[in-house]
């Protein structure tokens, strides 16, 4: 399952971030979105726009394409 | 004088702290990357300089503004590091702190937002944290200034004291062997900590690698060692990369520290931020809310508040001020040359621009509010889908909004964009954003031709700028961005009610540039332009139509004929507008020899039609970035070619758009 499969407002544990583009991956690591942390899909923007997720008590936004590369369980 | 450097994650209140410690009027914002350049301030009541650096998550730079920080560590001299840490986000913040401790300079931690952490039910044992990290920690609340005095005292105490045997040490386990080897290869001649260099190199820090390439001959050997270590690491299944491995090791260390120093009592859930986000980033309402915000901003700037204030100012300049000056000059027996210079040149030119100060300050106030409240990052998110369709990302929208205030900081704000070509493209587009200096031109013309629809017409010009930018982006990204993937990741900081003082300082900081420009550039320009109107091929004090300015403008006039404003006056004012766009207004005031904006509008209505006025405004919006912006583009792109391109493409587009407006509009009206 990946991050974009989550229903809005539900939580999961990040299991894999290795498939994302290198630059995005580094940014996500910086912001604390790493394997093993709890992530919550807060919102998705319309027309395939970015998603908003909460991780470690802070919100961040990334594109749906990248979010769909993040494995969760 | 001792220099101290301020380091910290984005959105940790770094610039607020800077303002508190230095008492200088500094630019504060609440989105990643407001501090795009190194800024220096003098410490309040103390002997020392504080250097404010862009916010970074780690010392391994991904974007241009982050590179500034690593660059600073490698090349600049300073006494001590002041690291501001967000107590409510300790886990992430300490990743940076570890890297800074490893750098080996003496370090002081300002533990910020202890109040926020408390409301989230988190208590931090500062003394214990101090002992575990082996550095001094001062708890502060940067927004209110609490604890900043103590921090300031602590900062200058024993500035020379280097860290003796460091208490804190991260053991990188598997990597230690490679680190040791690299340390033995590295020369011992620089002041830089070799262990820090080795760790940063292994982590893949590009800036450190460049430094080593420049200062050290055997980097091939280092690269090879790194490659081999990484292969072994992956083979052993320790981590997918060295970078990830280092992160994990640090993360474990941070977690073990946090277990010892923090106690979590209760988790306070639904925050105000969450509530606001539910509305402003709503699927359907997000974009309309942003547009409504912009609409209110324009209505206040033009209709509701700005214009009445500008009218009052105009009445003052043309009435009491001019009369007073005329009397004063007569009393001291000034010659008619001086009298004309002061009244027709300086008062007309500078005053004609200064009357728009209220509108410009209202605009800056809103932009400051956007930056300071945390809404800006949401705007980037809401706009990302649209930006993606033109080959950019939502972050590129932030320099554009800043560009509404002034294009110069807008162009600089593009540094936060990670991908180099996307950044270049954003730099090229930002000058199309209608900056505050163009406002006086619009205000003048809409006041004359579109009295009933002032805000609407001006708003449509702003929209025109954005639409043109999008089309240009589409074309350029097609030609330019081949092979580079656009990416978008942004932190959404919690909303904060902007403090009145910060908001005012931020507005003033931006607005004072406009006033300063009126005192220098526009003052000088006005005198020069007036002299050109005063002198002509046949001597001094000639008729306006026989002046040098009329000659110069006359050369350009035929070119502008198809656009609807083929007069020498238009040509001359557009030419001088390259200095700064508001000079267009100053020039017109001088050329048409009118005492105030109202009578200038009267004169203009005999030279322009509503349609040619619209065409003229569109031309002023697009035709060329002002001198200061061109200089900034040159600096930021480090390329003559792109600087020329930015000027030339803008001229071509302006010409095409204006001709379309005038010719097509002429078919209907």
């Amino acid at each position: 399952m990946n991050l974009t499969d989550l229903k809005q407002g539900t939580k999961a544990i990040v299991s894999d971030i290795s498939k994302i583009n290198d630059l995005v991956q580094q940014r996500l690591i910086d912001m604390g979105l790493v394997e093993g942390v709890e992530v919550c899909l807060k919102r998705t923007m319309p027309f395939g726009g970015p998603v908003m997720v909460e991780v470690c008590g802070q919100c961040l936004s990334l594109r749906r394409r990248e979010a769909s590369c993040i494995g969760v369980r | 004088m001792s220099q101290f450097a301020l380091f910290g994650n984005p959105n940790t209140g770094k610039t607020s702290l800077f303002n508190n410690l230095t008492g200088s009027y500094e630019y504060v914002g609440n989105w990643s990357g407001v501090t795009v350049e190194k800024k220096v301030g003098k410490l309040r009541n103390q002997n020392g300089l504080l250097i404010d650096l862009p916010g970074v998550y780690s010392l391994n730079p991904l974007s241009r503004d982050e590179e500034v920080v690593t660059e600073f560590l490698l090349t600049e001299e300073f006494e001590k590091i002041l690291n501001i840490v967000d107590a409510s986000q300790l886990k992430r913040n300490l990743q940076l702190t570890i890297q800074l401790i490893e750098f080996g300079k003496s370090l002081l931690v300002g533990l910020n937002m202890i109040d926020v952490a408390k409301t989230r039910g988190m208590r931090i044992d500062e003394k214990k944290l101090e002992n575990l990290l082996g550095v001094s920690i001062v708890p502060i609340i940067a927004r209110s200034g609490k604890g900043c005095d103590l921090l300031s005292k602590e900062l200058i105490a024993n500035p020379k004291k280097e860290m003796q045997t460091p208490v804190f040490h991260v053991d990188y386990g598997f990597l230690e062997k490679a680190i040791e080897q690299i340390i033995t290869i590295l020369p011992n001649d620089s002041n830089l900590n070799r262990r820090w260099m080795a760790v940063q190199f292994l982590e893949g820090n590009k800036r450190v690698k460049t430094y080593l390439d420049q200062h050290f001959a055997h980097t091939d050997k280092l690269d090879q060692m790194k490659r081999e270590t990484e292969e072994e690491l992956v083979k052993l299944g320790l981590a997918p990369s060295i970078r990830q491995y280092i992160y994990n090791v640090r993360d474990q260390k941070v977690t073990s520290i946090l277990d010892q120093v923090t106690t979590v009592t209760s988790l306070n859930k639904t925050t105000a931020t969450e509530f606001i986000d539910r509305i402003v980033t709503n699927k359907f309402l997000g974009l309309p809310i942003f547009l409504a915000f912009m609409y209110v901003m324009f209505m206040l700037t033009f209709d509701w508040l700005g214009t009445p204030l500008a009218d009052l100012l105009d009445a003052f300049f043309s009435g009491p001020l001019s009369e007073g000056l005329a009397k004063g000059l007569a009393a001291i027996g000034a010659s008619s040359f001086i009298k004309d210079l002061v009244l027709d040149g300086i008062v007309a030119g500078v005053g004609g621009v200064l009357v728009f100060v209220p509108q410009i300050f209202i605009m800056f106030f809103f932009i400051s509010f956007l930056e300071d409240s945390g809404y800006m990052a949401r705007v980037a998110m809401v706009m990302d889908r649209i930006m993606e369709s033109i080959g950019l990302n939502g972050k590129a929208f932030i320099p554009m909004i800043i560009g509404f205030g002034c294009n110069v900081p807008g162009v600089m704000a593009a540094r936060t964009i990670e991908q180099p070509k996307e950044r270049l493209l954003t730099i090229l587009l930002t000058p199309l954003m209608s900056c505050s200096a163009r406002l006086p031109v619009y205000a003048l013309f809409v006041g004359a031709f579109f009295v009933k629809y002032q805000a609407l017409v001006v708003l449509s010009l702003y929209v025109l700028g954005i639409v043109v930018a999008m089309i240009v982006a589409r074309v350029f990204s097609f030609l330019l961005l081949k092979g580079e993937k656009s990416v978008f990741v942004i932190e959404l900081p919690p909303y904060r009610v902007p403090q009145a003082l910060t908001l005012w300082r931020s507005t003033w900081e931006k607005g004072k540039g406009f006033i300063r420009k009126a005192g220098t550039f526009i003052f000088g320009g006005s005198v020069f332009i007036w002299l050109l109107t005063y002198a002509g091929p046949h001597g001094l004090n000639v008729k306006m139509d026989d002046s040098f300015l009329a000659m110069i403008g006359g050369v350009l006039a035929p070119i502008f004929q198809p656009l609807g404003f083929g007069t020498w006056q238009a040509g001359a004012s557009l030419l001088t507008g390259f200095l700064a766009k508001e000079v267009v207004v100053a020039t017109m005031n001088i050329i048409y020899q009118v005492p105030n904006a109202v009578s200038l509008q009267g004169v203009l209505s005999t030279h322009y039609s509503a349609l040619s006025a619209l065409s003229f405004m569109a031309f002023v919006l697009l035709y060329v970035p002002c001198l200061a912006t061109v200089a900034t583009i040159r600096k930021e792109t480090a390329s003559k070619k792109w600087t020329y391109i930015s000027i030339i493409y803008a001229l071509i587009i302006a010409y095409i758009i204006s001709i379309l407006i005038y010719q097509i509009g002429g078919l209907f009206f």
Side-chain angles (χ1 to χ4, degrees):
Chain A
M1 193 163 74
N2 66 50
L3 189 54
T4 46
D5 293 335
L6 289 178
K7 260 178 68 185
Q8 191 166 319
T10 54
K11 291 175 182 162
I13 305 289
V14 177
S15 58
D16 178 21
I17 59 165
S18 62
K19 292 191 200 73
I20 322 170
N21 160 322
D22 212 36
L23 196 67
V24 178
Q25 191 183 338
Q26 180 62 33
R27 268 275 178 269
L28 293 177
I29 292 174
D30 287 341
M31 292 175 186
L33 199 157
V34 288
E35 284 149 19
V37 301
E38 191 183 61
V39 62
C40 173
L41 182 76
K42 305 289 274 186
R43 209 162 278 105
T44 53
M45 294 285 116
F47 307 112
V51 299
M52 176 173 164
V53 297
E54 187 182 336
V55 59
C56 312
Q58 86 206 8
C59 288
L60 52 101
S61 179
L62 68 160
R63 288 212 170 130
R64 209 172 291 187
R65 193 180 338 113
E66 270 97 32
S68 66
C69 298
I70 298 177
V72 296
R73 61 180 139 79
Chain B
M1 206 180 281
S2 308
Q3 297 211 29
F4 307 98
L6 183 54
F7 288 77
N9 277 205
N11 306 309
T12 46
K14 215 161 44 61
T15 313
S16 287
L17 177 65
F18 183 84
N19 275 346
N20 258 313
L21 290 180
T22 60
S24 81
Y25 286 42
E26 186 58 30
Y27 191 60
V28 192
N30 186 14
W31 54 277
S32 311
V34 160
T35 312
V36 286
E37 249 194 343
K38 185 183 96 179
K39 283 174 183 149
V40 184
K42 205 165 171 294
L43 285 174
R44 246 187 244 263
N45 315 322
Q46 314 278 9
N47 215 14
L49 294 176
L50 187 62
I51 298 155
D52 188 22
L53 293 160
V56 288
Y57 299 102
S58 94
L59 295 178
N60 190 355
L62 294 180
S63 64
R64 203 42 205 99
D65 64 318
E66 293 174 334
E67 221 174 292
V68 172
V69 177
T70 317
E71 174 92 29
F72 179 85
L73 279 176
L74 287 170
T75 56
E76 302 268 328
E77 286 288 322
F78 60 97
E79 297 281 347
K80 203 187 251 185
I81 292 172
L82 175 56
N83 177 206
I84 181 166
V85 167
D86 180 349
S88 65
Q89 291 291 346
L90 264 183
K91 203 165 146 59
R92 186 188 76 189
N93 279 244
L94 288 181
Q95 281 273 344
L96 177 67
T97 308
I98 288 179
Q99 296 182 51
L100 289 171
I101 293 175
E102 283 176 342
F103 185 72
K105 268 253 160 89
S106 53
L107 182 121
L108 172 66
V109 169
L111 190 63
N112 192 23
M113 304 204 208
I114 38 175
D115 51 335
V116 180
K118 245 175 225 161
T119 55
R120 288 196 188 166
M122 208 157 77
R123 290 200 171 273
I124 298 157
D125 186 342
E126 296 121 22
K127 280 278 157 278
K128 212 167 185 179
L129 186 61
E130 204 165 44
N131 290 333
L132 287 171
L133 291 177
V135 297
S136 311
I137 294 176
V138 180
I140 52 167
I141 301 174
R143 272 167 72 80
S144 65
K146 200 178 156 195
C148 289
D149 279 348
L150 189 64
L151 188 73
S152 183
K153 281 199 193 90
E154 192 71 28
L155 191 63
I156 57 150
N158 313 316
K160 285 273 182 280
K161 193 182 80 186
E162 288 294 316
M163 275 215 282
Q164 297 105 2
T165 43
V167 183
F168 183 79
H169 179 82
V170 180
D171 185 341
Y172 290 100
F174 171 79
L175 287 181
E176 285 298 330
K177 206 178 84 201
I179 294 171
E180 282 306 316
Q181 277 176 338
I182 293 175
I183 290 176
T184 54
I185 300 175
L186 290 176
N188 198 10
D189 52 357
S190 80
N191 299 324
L192 296 163
N193 184 313
R194 283 183 296 165
R195 185 178 162 84
W196 177 81
M197 293 271 266
V199 174
Q200 290 292 327
F201 172 76
L202 284 173
E203 219 183 327
N205 189 324
K206 274 180 251 148
R207 187 60 193 84
V208 167
K209 165 117 177 60
T210 318
Y211 181 85
L212 288 173
D213 284 341
Q214 284 164 351
H215 292 83
F216 183 51
H218 314 290
T219 41
D220 297 347
K221 205 170 160 195
L222 290 177
D223 286 336
Q224 197 195 338
M225 275 170 63
K226 186 184 159 197
R227 233 180 355 256
E228 284 167 8
T229 311
E230 184 137 37
E231 276 164 20
E232 212 180 320
L233 184 97
V234 175
K235 216 190 304 168
L236 288 171
L238 291 169
S241 65
I242 294 185
R243 192 206 279 155
Q244 178 93 44
Y245 178 79
I246 291 179
Y247 177 87
N248 292 345
V249 172
R250 285 180 187 147
D251 192 55
Q252 276 162 20
K253 184 89 182 176
V254 169
T255 310
S256 81
I257 291 173
L258 290 186
D259 285 345
Q260 296 174 61
V261 302
T262 54
T263 39
V264 179
T265 46
S266 70
L267 272 176
N268 202 343
K269 269 290 142 197
T270 344
T271 54
T273 290
E274 205 152 318
F275 178 73
I276 300 171
D277 264 344
R278 218 172 280 165
I279 301 165
V280 303
T281 63
N282 180 286
K283 237 180 174 150
F284 308 104
L285 296 177
L287 203 55
I289 286 177
F290 172 62
L291 293 177
F293 180 88
M294 297 299 274
Y295 180 74
V296 169
M297 172 168 109
F298 284 108
M299 288 309 277
L300 269 173
T301 308
F302 291 97
D303 279 9
W304 301 336
L305 190 61
T307 307
L309 287 175
D311 287 346
L312 284 178
L313 211 55
D314 192 25
F316 169 75
F317 282 138
S318 57
L321 187 72
S322 294
E323 284 161 23
L325 275 174
K327 273 188 199 135
L329 287 169
I332 60 168
S335 67
S336 70
F337 172 79
I338 295 289
K339 241 159 77 185
D340 289 350
L341 173 66
V342 171
L343 295 176
D344 297 343
I346 296 167
V347 174
V350 179
V353 170
L354 276 184
V355 293
F356 298 103
V357 161
Q359 276 133 328
I360 281 160
F361 270 74
I362 294 170
M363 184 77 131
F364 280 144
F365 176 83
F366 274 95
I367 292 175
S368 302
F369 181 85
L370 264 178
E371 285 174 356
D372 215 34
S373 62
Y375 184 45
M376 194 78 113
R378 272 78 179 179
V379 172
M381 176 173 79
V382 169
M383 292 302 293
D384 181 65
R385 184 65 195 90
I386 297 174
M387 299 302 278
E388 192 185 7
S389 67
I390 58 167
L392 287 171
N393 75 68
K395 267 190 200 174
F397 202 66
I398 294 172
M400 293 185 181
I401 293 182
I402 294 185
F404 282 154
C406 175
N407 291 167
V408 171
V411 168
M412 295 207 294
R415 287 185 183 184
T416 57
I417 293 163
E418 291 93 349
Q419 301 279 57
K421 284 180 188 168
E422 265 187 83
R423 176 171 168 245
L424 174 63
L425 189 49
T426 309
I427 290 174
L428 292 179
L429 297 181
T430 302
L432 295 175
M433 298 301 112
S434 184
C435 69
S436 60
R438 285 164 237 197
L439 260 175
V441 182
Y442 306 155
L444 183 69
F445 278 86
V446 293
F449 297 97
F450 306 98
V451 183
K452 276 194 187 144
Y453 309 102
Q454 293 203 19
L456 198 68
V457 170
V458 176
L459 182 63
S460 67
L461 283 163
Y462 279 75
V463 173
L464 176 70
I466 296 174
V467 170
V468 170
M470 298 210 154
I471 296 168
V472 172
R474 195 77 200 86
V475 174
F476 272 132
S477 66
F478 179 72
L479 298 172
L480 197 75
L481 297 186
K482 274 181 228 153
E484 192 184 84
K485 233 177 102 192
S486 159
V487 299
F488 175 70
V489 187
I490 196 167
E491 184 186 341
L492 305 169
Y495 288 104
R496 283 160 205 154
V497 179
Q499 290 166 291
L501 183 67
T502 312
L503 210 51
W504 161 244
R505 279 185 175 178
S506 185
T507 307
W508 170 244
E509 184 60 30
K510 297 186 185 94
K512 95 177 172 203
F514 181 81
I515 295 176
R516 193 188 297 132
K517 215 160 41 159
T520 52
F521 249 79
I522 297 167
F523 182 88
S526 296
V527 171
F528 181 68
I529 292 158
W530 181 81
L531 284 173
L532 282 180
T533 64
Y534 189 77
H538 306 299
L540 294 176
N541 204 0
V542 293
K543 267 173 68 185
M544 189 69 78
D545 287 337
D546 301 326
S547 67
F548 282 124
L549 195 65
M551 274 175 59
I552 300 166
V555 175
L556 294 170
I559 305 173
F560 296 127
Q561 194 64 49
L563 313 189
F565 40 90
T567 59
W568 71 261
Q569 289 93 336
S573 50
L574 286 173
L575 193 66
T576 53
F578 175 59
L579 287 176
K581 300 240 170 160
E582 59 270 54
V583 175
V584 170
V585 173
T587 308
M588 287 193 158
N589 269 297
I590 297 167
I591 291 177
Y592 291 116
Q593 288 180 307
V594 285
N596 59 20
V598 176
S599 47
L600 178 57
Q601 284 165 347
V603 175
L604 283 176
S605 59
T606 64
H607 287 77
Y608 289 82
S609 66
L611 193 60
S612 63
L614 197 63
S615 160
F616 186 78
M617 285 190 285
F619 195 81
V620 169
L621 162 69
L622 302 167
Y623 79 118
V624 69
C626 73
L627 192 60
T629 307
V630 170
T632 312
I633 292 174
R634 173 82 184 84
K635 209 176 107 216
E636 293 293 307
T637 59
S639 148
K640 263 192 196 135
K641 185 182 108 188
W642 287 109
T643 312
Y644 286 127
I645 288 177
S646 75
I647 298 173
I648 292 163
Y649 97 82
L651 266 175
I652 294 172
I653 288 174
Y655 200 85
I656 294 173
I657 299 275
S658 290
I659 211 168
L660 285 178
I661 290 176
Y662 189 66
Q663 298 298 340
I664 295 178
L667 300 176
F668 299 98
F669 301 105

